[in-house]
Amino acid sequence: GIALDGEGDRIMMVDDQGRIIDGDEIIFLIAKDLKTRGALQGGVVGTVMSNLGMELALKELDIPFIRAGVGDRHVMRLLKENNWQIGGEPSGHVICLHASPSGDGIIAGLQVLACMAQEQEKLSVLAAGVQKFPQLMINVPLKERVDIDANGAIQDAVAQTEAELGDNGRVLLRPSGTEPLVRVMVEGKDADQVKSTCESLADAVKDILG
């Protein structure tokens, strides 16, 4: 199944097992197909929200990966700076510059269908190349906007959480661009550890910011 948003620039898919295939997996499938055919130019641009599982899956294929800020304009900027072709966001905004000058959900969907036809394989099998890591995001309300990068106590709390996760996860604190809140995200291999560390970090941020 293929679902598009109202403008048609974002896409989500559903495989033969009824599992949602998001932007990260779609980007991986397109990049892998291009790599297999010797047509991939450079690497892949994701965002700070892209799943670590996709990054590791691309690394297994020796496909370079870099992260942009959230928003397709940031992805597009890094694609053009590096002269790369493929990028996008987990939300389903996929940019295929080898086929279109902007993000286009229909074109991205056709790229995946072409890959399925070429490989004569089900979507569930092709998407199995990405083992997505558990992610948890908690929104911490703020009384007023603050510069969290300049707050030593918050950075210490982040560093402590990163030390607990080690190489098996990552932490992201991102102020909302539209609301007075901080989004606290933790990603890792172990779902229970992700939940506990994310909740602890969110509580710490709440306490520090009052």
Side-chain angles (χ1 to χ4, degrees), residues 52-143:
L52 185 57
M54 180 186 72
E55 180 177 353
L56 295 178
L58 290 170
K59 185 177 181 180
E60 286 288 320
L61 298 176
D62 292 324
I63 297 177
F65 176 78
I66 56 177
R67 295 179 184 268
V70 174
D72 57 284
R73 70 183 187 279
H74 300 300
V75 174
M76 182 69 80
R77 177 178 57 82
L78 285 184
L79 284 173
K80 291 184 175 180
E81 285 180 2
N82 290 277
N83 197 28
W84 291 359
Q85 301 168 320
I86 307 298
E89 303 180 272
S91 60
H93 197 285
V94 179
I95 301 172
C96 303
L97 292 182
H98 65 292
S100 172
S102 64
D104 189 305
I106 295 174
I107 287 178
L110 289 172
Q111 298 288 308
V112 175
L113 293 177
C115 176
M116 293 170 63
Q118 175 68 30
E119 297 294 328
Q120 288 292 294
E121 194 56 88
K122 296 178 179 179
L123 182 56
S124 60
V125 175
L126 296 177
V130 178
Q131 300 298 316
K132 296 181 71 176
F133 282 32
Q135 279 184 352
L136 179 63
M137 181 181 294
I138 298 176
N139 292 331
V140 178
L142 303 175
K143 294 180 180 178

Side-chain angles (χ1 to χ4, degrees), residues 16-48:
D16 47 288
Q17 301 298 317
R19 192 175 69 89
I20 294 175
I21 306 298
D22 68 8
D24 281 348
E25 291 157 303
I26 291 170
I27 292 165
F28 169 79
L29 289 175
I30 296 172
K32 180 181 179 181
D33 179 58
L34 289 172
K35 171 88 171 182
T36 300
R37 294 189 284 111
L40 180 63
Q41 183 173 306
V44 169
V45 176
T47 74
V48 293

Side-chain angles (χ1 to χ4, degrees), residues 137-146 148 154 173-176 178-184 198-199 201-210:
M137 181 181 294
I138 298 176
N139 292 331
V140 178
L142 303 175
K143 294 180 180 178
E144 58 185 17
R145 296 185 184 279
V146 296
I148 58 175
I154 288 180
L173 262 63
R174 186 168 66 90
S176 169
T178 57
E179 303 173 84
L181 53 84
V182 173
R183 305 188 194 281
V184 178
C198 188
E199 290 174 348
L201 181 56
D203 288 341
V205 171
K206 186 184 299 183
D207 292 341
I208 293 168
L209 298 179

